[in-house]
Amino acid sequence: MKPRSGPAGHGGGLGRASGMSETSRMGSGRVFPALPANPDPGAPFATSWWGNAWLDALEGSALDQARLARGRAYAREGAVDTITVAPGRIVAYVHGSRPRPYRAEIRLRTMLPEHWDRFLDAVATDPARIAALLDKEMPHALADAATRADVPLLPGARELAPACTCPDRGHPCKHAAALAYQTARLLDADPFVLLLLRGGEEQDLLDELSRRNTRLSAAEQHEATARRQPDPHAPATTRPQTTPDPDPDLPTLPALPSVLAREALATEYRSPLPAPLAPPAHAGEPPVLPSLPGAPDPTALEFLVTDAAARAHAFLTTGTDPFTAVSPWHDAVRLAASHPGLTGRRTFSRQFAELARSVGRTPADLSRAAAAWRQGGEEGLAVLEAPWDPPAGPFDRARGALTAADLPRMTIHHNHLTNPEGTLQLRYGHDNRWYPYRSEPGAHDWWPEGEADVDPVGALAGVTEA
């Protein structure tokens, strides 16, 4: 039977010929949190020889050195978000000059089953190589053995295939280059990241190496035992004496305790767990999930993960469930406010458009309401949808504060203050905060923009500065 192949243009990964599991062959991937910024321009991205080999493959295939330089700057600034590594691909969101990050990806061909057979044999025959891998090292001797066995372990020139959702068609663009440079830091810390890219899960690799090492030991023991067997045709005087049977009256000693070789060779030990950290100010971003044949839509999964993270953060910080939706519309707005595919007023994902249709609204209506929800939750949505007449005091004080700050005098209508050009507006909420809005001149198409503030000058300044 031929091994199944992976994505188009890729090898089949770990197949049946290597004894690896189906899960490993398809690959579930590993998620790494965003690496911290490294502003030192002289600091290398890789200190290991295999990490530098990765950078050589990147820089040797780049068509524009200026894009590489910009990618290095992005990486040093910490612009690369959570990194997901799976067989044949690395994906991450990379923050650029626009508010929404771009989805960068780098592909690398996975190894065929026969490659894995030869590679695992090269490792299993030398215990020092197993020990090095357990110590997160990749010795030169192992890479040399892989090369002699015609195993594509390290990436070659033009083997890294970058892609990005940005409009730049460079090879690579600065966002994919930044991801590649941060990946070198991951490889430095753990060469199993490279093996995962080639199609091998760490635990499955170690299990298969253990099986092969056991078979080799058993074969060597069998060969040694065969050499010690007496020749049945030799004279009786030359036959070796056999060991007498143990005395049944003597006590049987307990077997000596044993330790797994993996534990004996380990150099890293886990310390006790530290005290819990304080809750973060905001819910985290979801990991970038790879698109695999037959797997669920990664965009829909990111949508659900984002909502689950928001709920978990609310429970963690308040201990109560704040999402008791008044109506399906309110619940849809809450979901839309955390939708990772919402990129602007006119660009919507398929899931976002379906969510709007489910409550009988247009995507633009839902996008506007989601922006209001991000400003102030249910109160922000009420400010968008329900004008009211507040007491005169707050408006008089607000107009005086705006005049004192040399800002233009604004007209009053209900709870709205609007500048003479009709482009900026402040709306007063029942929570005594001012909500900034913006519109194109003469369009009267008001969109929530910026953060709500108890100070009208601060709320308006945040929009004008942006």
Side-chain angles (χ1 to χ4, degrees):
M1 179 184 295
K2 294 183 179 180
R4 282 167 49 185
S5 62
H10 288 60
L14 296 174
R16 305 186 191 282
S18 65
M20 307 302 287
S21 70
E22 183 76 9
T23 301
S24 176
R25 189 162 63 84
M26 295 305 296
S28 57
R30 292 173 61 184
V31 178
F32 297 88
L35 295 171
N38 186 17
D40 182 3
F45 281 97
T47 56
S48 65
W49 71 266
W50 59 90
N52 280 296
W54 169 272
L55 293 180
D56 289 343
L58 167 70
E59 295 170 352
S61 61
L63 302 181
D64 188 336
Q65 295 301 313
R67 286 187 174 92
L68 279 186
R70 189 61 182 138
R72 284 193 294 269
Y74 271 24
R76 294 193 190 281
E77 294 165 4
V80 181
D81 216 324
T82 305
I83 300 175
T84 301
V85 182
R89 70 187 69 198
I90 314 166
V91 288
Y93 281 124
V94 180
H95 295 269
S97 57
R98 297 184 180 180
R100 291 292 301 178
Y102 297 107
R103 188 177 190 272
E105 179 175 357
I106 298 173
R107 293 199 174 200
L108 178 66
R109 194 166 31 238
T110 56
M111 295 199 305
L112 296 171
E114 53 266 30
H115 293 146
W116 282 111
D117 266 335
R118 296 198 293 269
F119 174 76
L120 293 170
D121 283 343
V123 178
T125 53
D126 189 343
R129 295 171 184 171
I130 300 178
L133 284 178
L134 289 172
D135 200 26
K136 305 301 183 183
E137 296 284 338
M138 183 179 291
H140 270 290
L142 176 56
D144 293 340
T147 301
R148 289 193 299 270
D150 193 23
V151 173
L153 182 59
L154 297 170
R158 298 194 176 278
E159 195 174 357
L160 301 181
C164 186
T165 57
C166 75
D168 186 2
R169 298 301 101 187
H171 185 92
C173 70
K174 55 191 176 184
H175 311 101
L179 173 58
Y181 278 109
Q182 291 295 63
T183 302
R185 297 173 66 183
L186 297 181
L187 293 173
D188 245 12
D190 188 354
F192 277 102
V193 173
L194 176 60
L195 297 178
L196 176 58
L197 272 171
R198 286 299 193 185
E201 297 275 0
E202 177 177 353
Q203 191 57 53
D204 282 351
L205 282 170
L206 295 177
D207 291 343
E208 179 62 16
L209 286 173
S210 177
R211 286 191 290 269
R212 293 186 182 225
N213 189 263
T214 300
R215 287 199 297 268
L216 286 173
S217 299
E220 292 172 356
Q221 184 178 4
H222 177 74
E223 184 179 350
T225 302
R227 287 198 300 267
R228 291 196 300 268
Q229 290 295 327
D231 184 357
H233 302 293
T237 55
T238 64
R239 294 182 183 179
Q241 297 294 322
T242 59
T243 304
D245 293 334
D247 189 340
D249 295 329
L250 294 177
T252 303
L253 296 176
L256 294 175
S258 60
V259 178
L260 291 175
R262 186 183 306 166
E263 297 177 4
L265 294 170
T267 58
E268 296 182 1
Y269 301 94
R270 295 181 180 179
S271 59
L273 291 176
L277 298 175
H282 306 283
E285 293 289 333
V288 181
L289 303 173
S291 178
L292 297 173
D297 182 1
T299 306
L301 289 178
E302 289 176 14
F303 186 11
L304 296 176
V305 170
T306 301
D307 180 54
R311 285 177 176 268
H313 183 268
F315 275 116
L316 184 64
T317 53
T318 67
T320 59
D321 183 3
F323 302 126
T324 53
V326 177
S327 65
W329 166 243
H330 280 68
D331 196 50
V333 173
R334 177 189 64 77
L335 282 169
S338 61
H339 194 297
L342 178 61
T343 58
R345 302 183 183 185
R346 300 177 181 85
T347 305
F348 312 105
S349 70
R350 177 174 55 83
Q351 288 81 9
F352 191 93
E354 290 175 355
L355 179 62
R357 284 195 294 271
S358 71
V359 289
R361 301 293 183 96
T362 67
D365 290 339
L366 185 58
S367 178
R368 192 194 316 265
W373 190 280
R374 286 195 293 270
Q375 275 190 329
E378 291 191 15
E379 180 59 31
L381 183 61
V383 168
L384 170 71
E385 296 182 332
W388 62 292
D389 294 315
F395 274 82
D396 292 339
R397 288 191 295 272
R399 298 180 80 190
L402 294 170
T403 302
D406 292 329
L407 293 172
R409 186 174 181 84
M410 307 181 82
T411 59
I412 297 176
H413 181 67
H414 294 302
N415 59 326
H416 302 172
L417 290 178
T418 307
N419 72 343
E421 293 80 9
T423 57
L424 295 175
Q425 188 177 89
L426 291 175
R427 299 188 180 187
Y428 189 60
H430 291 279
D431 58 355
N432 301 321
R433 292 195 298 169
W434 293 92
Y435 290 77
Y437 278 66
R438 186 188 290 273
S439 173
E440 295 296 328
H444 300 289
D445 183 27
W446 296 105
W447 279 77
E449 187 166 327
E451 298 183 2
D453 199 322
V454 294
D455 176 18
V457 176
L460 193 61
V463 178
T464 55
E465 290 173 3

